[in-house]
């Protein structure tokens, strides 16, 4: 199945739907990733249906600029709206204009508005998804409109007191800038931005609405559920098992990259560097021009989901059918355990720890011209680098002093 294409200019929202797509087994790409002019006009209308229809027509015109009259692809757009019951009467407040409303709103002001209006803090957040249906499917399914409309909402209330929320670098939609920082879903005591990702998924208005769209597409046979391959192999002794995936780890300047390159050049291994996949996850969420540091993002990713990089590596190994693989650059033992889990029981992951004396490694660091290299700093780095320490009974240890 080709990707479901999402129209948005919001990088955080794109990251959100890419994540949702991963959870539901549906690959999602942003239209702006494919076409430089891929933005659409989003009118500032109070009427939700009129806003979504006009947005869809604008997106459709961009789609046709790219693909002409080829109407075989699937794309969608999404609008998030909010209703605060104590401030709403005939129309929802802030309604479909929530992102503009948030620009001039702070918690003290919002709290005073609710109190002055009677104190009703009940609120709901709604997600509306407009899904383009290609003509060839519309005829078969007897759908008259060129798009289908799916929506869902989450009930809750405005928090009683503002909570200090740090930016979530791995899941940027659980942020400290949108209404999520003030919205407490029913069944919880803290804003949705403070929830773990597993808890947030259960009350995620976008997740709930998009699941309906995916269920329709699967039910109609337009997309198929990705089936997992049976991991039980036939007992044919003559069928060789694939060679183990080699994971290289060790302290700084122990020779991991050099060994990986030797395996690549001399023995035709595919060398995968974990930091490349971490950068990929970073750029997908925050873009290349962000002020966020990759180190801060990596720290957040490892703390919240150490499977981020291993999953990306496993997916690439499987999709490209790599036979001989060597991986370097993991930052934690948890990542290695996740990689083992992802390949179990079909394929072995063999971990090799490269050992070299501190003096030899320090000399290598000086030769490589690394910035801020001092003997004291190098020793401190070893002492505070438990992610690369040798784990008893887990690693194969080899000397890399030459």
């Amino acid at each position: 199945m080709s990707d479901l294409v999402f129209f948005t200019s919001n990088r955080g929202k794109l990251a959100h739907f890419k994540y949702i797509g991963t959870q539901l087994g549906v690959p999602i790409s942003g239209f702006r990733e494919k076409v430089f002019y891929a933005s659409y006009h989003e009118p500032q209308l109070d009427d939700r249906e009129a806003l979504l229809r006009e947005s869809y027509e604008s997106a459709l015109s961009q789609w046709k600029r790219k693909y002409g009259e080829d109407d075989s692809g699937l794309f969608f757009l999404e609008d998030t709206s909010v209703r605060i019951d104590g401030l709403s009467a005939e129309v929802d407040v802030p309604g479909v204009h929530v992102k503009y409303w948030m620009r001039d709103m702070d918690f003290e002001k919002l709290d005073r508005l609710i109190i002055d209006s009677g104190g009703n803090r009940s609120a709901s957040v709604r997600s509306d998804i407009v899904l383009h249906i290609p003509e060839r499917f519309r005829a078969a399914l007897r759908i008259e409109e060129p798009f289908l409309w799916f929506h869902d909402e989450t009930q809750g209330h405005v928090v009683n007191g503002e909570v200090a929320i740090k930016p979530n670098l791995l899941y940027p939609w659980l942020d400290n800038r949108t209404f999520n920082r003030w919205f407490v879903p029913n069944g919880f005591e803290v804003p949705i931005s403070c929830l773990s990702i597993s808890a947030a998924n259960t009350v995620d208005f976008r997740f709930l609405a998009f699941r309906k769209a995916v269920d329709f597409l699967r039910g109609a046979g337009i997309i198929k559920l990705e089936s997992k391959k049976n991991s039980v192999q036939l007992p044919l002794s003559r069928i060789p098992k694939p060679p183990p995936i080699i994971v290289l780890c060790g302290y700084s300047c122990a020779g991991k990259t050099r060994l990986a390159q030797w395996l690549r050049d001399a023995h035709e291994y595919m060398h995968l560097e974990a930091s490349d996949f971490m950068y990929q996850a970073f750029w997908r969420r925050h873009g290349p021009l962000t002020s966020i540091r990759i180190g801060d993002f990596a720290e957040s990713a490892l703390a919240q989901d150490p499977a981020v990089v291993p999953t990306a590596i496993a997916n690439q190994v499987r999709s490209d059918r790599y036979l001989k693989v060597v991986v370097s650059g993991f930052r934690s033992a948890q990542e290695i355990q996740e990689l083992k889990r992802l390949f179990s029981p079909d394929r072995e992951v063999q971990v090799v720890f490269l050992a070299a004396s501190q003096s030899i490694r320090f000399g290598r660091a000086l030769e490589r011209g690394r910035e801020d290299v001092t003997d004291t700093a190098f020793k401190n780095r070893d002492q505070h680098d438990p992610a690369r320490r040798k784990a008893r009974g887990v690693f194969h240890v080899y000397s890399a002093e030459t």
Side-chain angles (χ1 to χ4, degrees):
M1 186 201 78
S2 60
D3 291 4
L4 250 175
V5 177
F6 180 36
F7 272 84
T8 184
S9 59
N10 186 317
R11 186 173 293 276
K13 187 182 287 190
L14 176 59
H16 193 179
F17 273 98
K18 281 179 177 287
Y19 169 81
I20 295 172
T22 299
Q23 298 301 300
L24 298 178
V26 180
I28 292 176
S29 61
F31 195 42
R32 293 188 70 166
E33 295 175 325
K34 298 175 178 291
V35 185
F36 74 92
Y37 53 77
S39 60
Y40 70 96
H41 173 63
E42 185 178 353
Q44 294 190 38
L45 301 174
D46 292 325
D47 184 273
R48 177 182 288 111
E49 182 173 353
L51 182 151
L52 291 171
R53 283 183 177 275
E54 190 169 325
S55 297
Y56 167 77
E57 291 297 335
S58 176
L60 181 61
S61 67
Q62 295 285 36
W63 183 264
K64 289 182 176 179
R65 286 182 66 187
K66 169 64 176 177
Y67 298 105
E69 296 304 318
D70 180 10
D71 191 27
S72 60
L74 294 165
F75 72 82
F76 70 99
L77 52 90
E78 189 268 353
D79 183 73
T80 300
S81 58
V82 172
R83 174 185 172 90
I84 301 172
D85 292 341
L87 306 182
S88 304
E90 296 180 358
V91 298
D92 293 347
V93 176
V96 295
H97 302 304
V98 60
K99 68 179 180 181
Y100 305 108
W101 178 83
M102 285 293 297
R103 294 174 184 175
D104 299 320
M105 188 59 60
D106 56 45
F107 180 76
E108 290 75 14
K109 182 177 179 180
L110 174 59
D111 190 49
R112 176 52 54 190
L113 287 172
I114 293 175
I115 292 173
D116 292 345
S117 299
N120 185 356
R121 309 186 79 86
S122 297
S124 58
V125 184
R126 169 173 170 148
S127 174
D128 287 89
I129 291 175
V130 174
L131 174 66
H132 173 72
I133 305 297
E135 186 174 358
R136 61 192 180 97
F137 293 121
R138 296 202 301 268
L141 298 172
R142 299 180 181 179
I143 298 174
E144 296 182 0
E145 291 273 21
F147 64 84
L148 290 178
W149 186 351
F150 303 89
H151 66 86
D152 210 319
E153 65 181 31
T154 300
Q155 301 288 334
H157 66 270
V158 176
V159 69
N160 292 310
E162 188 162 29
V163 179
I165 299 173
K166 295 181 179 180
N168 192 320
L169 303 186
L170 183 59
Y171 307 116
W173 53 94
L174 300 179
D175 61 7
N176 59 349
R177 294 177 290 108
T178 66
F179 190 71
N180 282 345
R181 61 178 169 166
W182 299 329
F183 179 65
V184 181
N186 286 346
F188 294 93
E189 297 181 353
V190 295
I192 191 171
S193 288
C194 296
L195 300 178
S196 67
I197 189 62
S198 58
N201 287 344
T202 65
V203 289
D204 183 345
F205 35 91
R206 290 176 183 154
F207 205 124
L208 298 173
F210 191 65
R211 190 198 300 272
K212 291 181 177 179
V214 171
D215 287 345
F216 166 79
L217 292 172
R218 285 183 173 144
I222 298 176
I223 62 174
K224 295 181 180 180
L225 180 65
E226 295 181 355
S227 59
K228 296 184 178 179
K229 295 182 179 180
N230 191 347
S231 61
V232 179
Q233 297 183 350
L234 293 175
L236 300 178
S237 59
R238 293 184 179 180
I239 298 179
K241 290 185 177 181
I245 294 171
I246 297 175
V247 175
L248 302 179
C249 59
Y251 289 116
S252 180
C253 297
K256 302 181 293 297
T257 300
R258 182 176 296 181
L259 176 56
Q261 291 172 345
W262 178 77
L263 288 170
R264 179 196 65 195
D265 298 337
H267 297 279
E268 299 182 339
Y269 271 74
M270 173 59 66
H271 176 207
L272 301 180
E273 172 58 43
S275 61
D276 293 341
F277 291 87
M278 185 65 80
Y279 268 104
Q280 183 184 70
F282 173 60
W283 287 329
R284 283 181 174 176
R285 288 163 173 80
H286 301 288
L289 302 178
T290 180
S291 61
I292 296 171
R293 299 186 303 174
I294 179 62
D296 292 337
F297 173 81
E299 183 179 352
S300 177
L302 293 173
Q304 296 187 77
D305 186 3
V308 168
V309 169
T311 299
I313 290 175
N315 289 341
Q316 181 160 332
V317 170
R318 291 191 177 105
S319 64
D320 293 342
R321 299 181 180 180
Y322 294 149
L323 187 62
K324 300 165 73 174
V325 181
V326 57
V327 181
S328 63
F330 277 137
R331 292 169 175 252
S332 74
Q334 289 89 343
E335 289 181 296
I336 297 174
Q337 295 305 321
E338 288 293 339
L339 192 71
K340 287 184 174 183
R341 179 186 63 80
L342 289 164
F343 280 107
S344 178
D346 300 324
R347 194 163 182 179
E348 179 187 358
V349 175
Q350 186 178 85
V351 184
V352 175
F353 186 93
L354 295 185
S357 69
Q358 191 174 83
S359 61
I360 288 177
R361 292 186 292 105
F362 179 63
R364 291 172 182 171
L366 292 175
E367 290 175 1
R368 296 172 189 176
R370 295 192 173 180
E371 297 180 0
D372 301 325
V373 175
T374 65
D375 183 64
T376 301
F378 205 78
K379 291 179 180 178
N380 288 338
R381 182 174 181 178
D382 282 358
Q383 293 174 356
H384 296 88
D385 196 6
R388 295 183 175 89
R389 290 178 183 169
K390 182 172 55 178
R392 185 181 304 169
V394 176
F395 299 143
H396 300 267
V397 183
Y398 292 90
S399 174
E401 297 201 347
T402 58

